[in-house]
Amino acid sequence: MVLCAVPLLCASADASQDLLDRRLLRDALRVKAGPAGPGTVVALPLPEPAEVRASASAAGELTRIARGRGPQHVLVGVRTHRHVPGVARVLRSLGAQPESFTTIAVVAATVPSGAALAGALGADPRVAYVERDTEMRIAADPFDAPDPAHGNLKFTWFFDDVRAGEALAAAGGGSSRTVAVLDTGLDTSHPELAGRVERVYDTQAGGSDVTDFVGHGTFVSGLIAAIDGNGLGGKGVAGNTRILAIRASRDGTFTERDVLRGTEFAVRHGADVLNLSLAGDVIDASVARALGAAFVNDVLPVAASGNRGLAGNPVQFPAAVLGGQRGAPGIGLSVGATRPNGTVAEFSTHNDFVSLAGPGASASDCRFGVLSTLPAAAVTAWDSVESCSNVFSQGGARYAYGQGTSFAAPIVSGIAALVWQVERRLASEQVAEVLIRSARQTLGSGWNEFTGAGIVDGAAATALARVYDVRAPRAKAGVRRRGGRVRVRLVKTRDRTDAGRELAGAVTYGLLVSRNGGRSFSIVRRRPRPFKHTVRLRGRRVNVLVASACDGNGNCDFKRLGRFRRG
């Protein structure tokens, strides 16, 4: 069950409507109405204390924590950003060393006593929830099963399958966008990744040692950015695109705290795409907040749908909180895995939240799959006696085949970076829409729960990006104040586009109000036609009124209507 701490910033059943609401709130903060400037990380908007109530599920979780024996690893969600230091002080008084995630107002800690924690924070009005720091695993286990014998298929069949060559040609050979790989680390000395690593970070030590003891992160990174034409075997779909390598696990198991650290690092250090080749059966509110903050900062999260299609097929997270329901838009992408003939891999987790698919399985058994890079040290999962792979070398570098949705996701992430290069004005969710609209469906027509909209198609996606409407209609509105009320009238406007591009149309009109001087906004009303509305001024802070006009692609223009004080 998804605990959605901020409903307008988490995936929901009515995703197509909520996505526009989320974008309105994001753009109001990032573009004109808010205090943030270019390059500034925007904190996740949170409700004011009076607007939030603790849920029954959150209360039950705190009860379970109180009954736990020994130290408890917890994440405390604070209702507003300004209360983070105070809650951290309470945790410190309990003998913990709190770690504050200021972007999402979450404090992580290991407390000596769950009962003492419940006593100290159970009735604290500053606390929205307390949850245990649970674990996720890399989504490829146990399907990392490679072998060099590839039958009649090319070693790099996946590259041709998604028409990466055509996409690279359209993008000029790569992308200026950065793909963050939150995984098990990276062999930074691998010759296939020379010059392709932008930055490295280890979430546990906070340093730059990202040695990959599992091999998973190196494999994922190679699918994105391995060098083509250097006389070695691999090549990544995104060509000359930089990787931000985040080691959030040393053994393939990820704690939620490490996912929070890695996501925050990616957002703060300029990542555009966040690849999450990991999965778990649940997602807690803190990770949902982190993904919401990524969206607010125009980062596109791409996650593996999971590999439990043959093991009860439970919904896997974070993928399910990213993909919209049954093909509707979401704040990111959930990616399934397909075989060379376009059919879905049997192990690929399938559900209502799968957005699209990418190559990630062999035509027959575990000996094949997609080809990528391995660390030089022979200590990886591929080197295990339980693996059916035959790891091989070329020019001193190591390679192997692998299967899993873990490896379909980075192929989609790489194509996303190329789409963004072709049209740099796209927002993150528009990049996702371009990929979904242009996908090549191999199972019937339309959306389905196995391959989503179809297999990612680099050539079609970059072609669509060139004609996609990225120009917003002009917002028009007027105001008249009478005492403690402001009368707003939104005026009809037409959608606009550039020459030779599609016209999205379907203009939607909105009114946003901030009660705290522009630090956060709420949507008062949104309608498919112009309207009039009276806003009653409230609170002791400045009330900021903003009118919006958005087209069907989510391109929004804003008109600041004024700053008003009550009385």
Side-chain angles (χ1 to χ4, degrees):
M1 183 175 183
V2 179
L3 300 177
C4 190
V6 188
L8 290 177
L9 293 171
C10 299
S12 71
D14 191 14
S16 60
Q17 295 298 313
D18 283 351
L19 187 62
L20 181 56
D21 287 349
R22 290 193 292 269
R23 181 160 189 185
L24 277 172
L25 294 173
R26 178 190 69 188
D27 290 354
L29 288 167
R30 300 183 73 245
V31 180
K32 290 184 178 180
T40 302
V41 174
V42 180
L44 180 73
L46 293 176
E48 293 297 328
E51 298 172 333
V52 183
R53 295 290 182 270
S55 68
S57 59
E61 177 74 346
L62 186 57
T63 299
R64 288 187 287 271
I65 291 171
R67 293 173 178 171
R69 296 182 178 180
Q72 299 292 305
H73 307 285
V74 298
L75 302 169
V76 181
V78 184
R79 295 187 190 281
T80 65
H81 294 279
R82 68 177 182 271
H83 289 144
V84 168
V87 171
R89 284 194 294 271
V90 173
L91 291 167
R92 198 172 291 112
S93 71
L94 297 175
Q97 295 182 340
E99 177 181 3
S100 298
F101 295 90
T102 56
T103 304
I104 58 174
V106 170
V107 184
T110 299
V111 294
S113 166
L117 174 73
L121 294 181
D124 193 321
R126 299 171 296 182
V127 175
Y129 61 84
V130 181
E131 59 194 13
R132 287 168 291 186
D133 183 1
T134 56
E135 294 183 346
M136 289 177 274
R137 294 192 60 83
I138 52 178
D141 184 29
F143 296 101
D144 290 338
D147 191 279
H150 61 290
N152 294 323
L153 288 172
K154 291 174 60 176
F155 280 92
T156 53
W157 65 269
F158 67 91
F159 188 92
D160 298 334
D161 193 52
V162 300
R163 298 205 286 175
E166 295 91 328
L168 282 165
S175 176
S176 60
R177 299 286 179 166
T178 301
V179 180
V181 177
L182 195 158
D183 216 287
T184 61
L186 178 67
D187 179 1
T188 57
S189 66
H190 201 293
E192 292 279 32
L193 297 167
R196 298 279 167 92
V197 183
E198 176 76 17
R199 190 186 292 266
V200 296
Y201 176 67
D202 176 44
T203 60
Q204 294 181 24
S208 58
D209 181 2
V210 293
T211 302
D212 187 2
F213 299 111
V214 180
H216 193 268
T218 301
F219 198 99
V220 166
S221 297
L223 290 168
I224 297 169
I227 299 171
D228 187 17
N230 61 351
L232 299 176
K235 55 182 178 180
V237 297
N240 188 17
T241 296
R242 296 296 186 93
I243 295 293
L244 198 165
I246 301 172
R247 184 172 71 177
S249 170
R250 300 184 184 189
D251 62 1
T253 300
F254 300 78
T255 68
E256 288 190 327
R257 192 191 299 201
D258 282 314
V259 172
L260 296 184
R261 288 170 177 162
T263 302
E264 185 169 88
F265 185 87
V267 171
R268 289 189 177 278
H269 290 84
D272 300 290
V273 181
L274 175 61
N275 190 86
L276 298 164
S277 290
L278 50 90
D281 292 342
V282 296
I283 189 170
D284 289 325
S286 296
V287 175
R289 282 189 176 189
L291 296 172
F295 175 84
V296 167
N297 287 279
D298 206 25
V299 177
L300 175 64
V302 179
S305 71
N307 294 329
R308 301 192 63 187
L310 294 174
N313 194 44
V315 174
Q316 296 288 278
F317 299 97
V321 82
L322 297 177
Q325 191 168 32
R326 299 185 66 81
I331 63 172
L333 293 168
S334 169
V335 183
T338 53
R339 303 185 184 282
N341 63 0
T343 60
V344 68
E346 291 183 349
F347 58 77
S348 184
T349 299
H350 45 279
N351 51 53
D352 284 352
F353 305 101
V354 174
S355 307
L356 73 172
S362 74
S364 54
D365 54 45
C366 68
R367 295 173 297 165
F368 311 111
V370 294
L371 179 82
S372 193
T373 48
L374 288 184
V379 293
T380 72
W382 278 261
D383 302 295
S384 168
V385 295
E386 297 179 357
S387 172
C388 77
S389 68
N390 291 319
V391 176
F392 55 99
S393 300
Q394 183 181 23
R398 300 209 314 154
Y399 303 85
Y401 283 104
Q403 293 195 99
T405 57
S406 268
F407 308 140
I411 292 172
V412 171
S413 291
I415 298 298
L418 298 181
V419 165
W420 231 331
Q421 180 69 15
V422 168
E423 178 47 77
R424 304 187 185 193
R425 293 174 292 175
L426 291 168
S428 61
E429 72 280 2
Q430 292 178 323
V431 174
E433 183 187 2
V434 167
L435 293 175
I436 290 171
R437 279 183 54 189
S438 60
R440 181 181 82 254
Q441 186 56 273
T442 56
L443 299 180
S445 61
W447 177 91
N448 66 72
E449 65 179 293
F450 298 98
T451 62
I455 300 172
V456 64
D457 186 328
T462 50
L464 177 56
R466 291 193 183 281
V467 298
Y468 189 88
D469 181 3
V470 292
R471 192 177 183 189
R474 183 175 288 111
K476 301 177 181 180
V479 296
R480 178 179 296 177
R481 177 171 181 172
R482 291 182 177 178
R485 300 173 185 268
V486 179
R487 183 68 169 172
V488 180
R489 181 174 69 90
L490 279 80
V491 180
K492 185 175 182 178
T493 187
R494 290 186 176 183
D495 192 18
R496 305 178 294 174
T497 191
D498 298 327
R501 289 181 176 266
E502 300 176 339
L503 179 67
V507 177
T508 300
Y509 303 83
L511 176 61
L512 296 85
V513 176
S514 171
R515 305 291 186 180
N516 54 18
R519 292 190 307 158
S520 62
F521 286 82
S522 59
I523 300 172
V524 175
R525 178 170 292 184
R526 183 163 59 82
R527 295 287 187 272
R529 58 182 61 87
F531 60 86
K532 298 177 182 179
H533 186 78
T534 299
V535 177
R536 183 176 179 178
L537 302 178
R538 298 204 311 261
R540 290 176 290 181
R541 299 179 183 177
V542 172
N543 288 230
V544 181
L545 275 62
V546 176
S548 69
C550 303
D551 67 12
N553 282 356
N555 299 305
C556 300
D557 184 47
F558 297 86
K559 181 177 182 180
R560 189 190 292 260
L561 303 178
R563 297 168 61 88
F564 306 91
R565 286 188 180 274
R566 187 181 65 172

